[in-house]
Amino acid sequence: MNLKFLVVGNMRCGATLLQTVLDGCEGIFCEDELRWLPKGKLADYSIELKCDSFSLSEYLDGIDSPDTSVGAKLLLDPQKYSEEEYSKLQKKIGPDIYIIHVQRNYRDVLKSIIQNRGYLIQSENNQKLPKILQ
């Protein structure tokens, strides 16, 4: 029986790096990116979990891979979800899936966003940081 897992995080938390490292390990397949209630347009490689009949366990069972462990990455958009939405998501994941939750504090996420838009951030000199980060 294959071990099934899900890497859960939000944007810029390191989930993609973890997914890439896991996928490079012998016996592990982890390539797919899933999105839950995304805001805006999905990337071509992302799969939205909007279908009520979607089951992550069945989805992972359907991946044609000889690897002993099969997983996917789920990105949550930075927004407030209701208890009902989390309940629906939990039903899609299922009890046989191991969850790896990747976290990063929001200050670092914001710094990463600013850096990748071309702004320089000097950690030793807060004068270049936006007021919210000082």
Side-chain angles (χ1 to χ4, degrees):
M1 182 172 106
N2 286 353
L3 172 75
K4 295 183 266 188
F5 65 93
L6 182 65
V7 175
V8 178
N10 48 7
M11 296 178 289
R12 301 186 185 275
C13 71
T16 301
L17 175 61
L18 178 58
Q19 176 190 25
T20 303
V21 170
L22 287 171
D23 194 52
C25 293
E26 187 175 334
I28 298 176
F29 176 87
C30 184
E31 286 187 359
D32 296 335
E33 177 179 298
L34 310 173
R35 296 297 291 270
W36 177 246
L37 305 175
K39 287 186 174 180
K41 187 177 180 226
L42 283 175
D44 291 340
Y45 53 83
S46 296
I47 302 163
E48 185 179 1
L49 306 181
K50 63 182 174 185
C51 174
D52 287 339
S53 63
F54 181 88
S55 162
L56 181 60
S57 186
E58 291 174 10
Y59 177 79
L60 293 175
D61 283 339
I63 293 175
D64 185 24
S65 174
D67 297 317
T68 56
S69 297
V70 179
K73 173 182 69 174
L74 172 65
L75 289 181
L76 298 171
D77 287 317
Q79 59 186 315
K80 187 174 182 178
Y81 296 104
S82 68
E83 286 187 38
E84 180 183 354
E85 291 167 332
Y86 276 123
S87 178
K88 287 179 182 179
L89 176 59
Q90 184 179 11
K91 289 175 186 170
K92 291 178 183 294
I93 294 174
D96 60 334
I97 307 292
Y98 289 91
I99 305 292
I100 303 168
H101 185 202
V102 182
Q103 295 178 332
R104 185 175 183 193
N105 78 42
Y106 287 116
R107 180 176 189 242
D108 290 341
V109 169
L110 184 56
K111 285 171 62 176
S112 176
I113 290 168
I114 293 168
Q115 272 183 316
N116 287 311
R117 287 190 180 157
Y119 295 99
L120 295 175
I121 292 182
Q122 299 175 350
S123 58
E124 68 278 353
N125 181 358
N126 284 344
Q127 291 178 354
K128 293 214 176 211
L129 294 176
K131 191 163 187 80
I132 194 169
L133 296 179
Q134 294 181 7

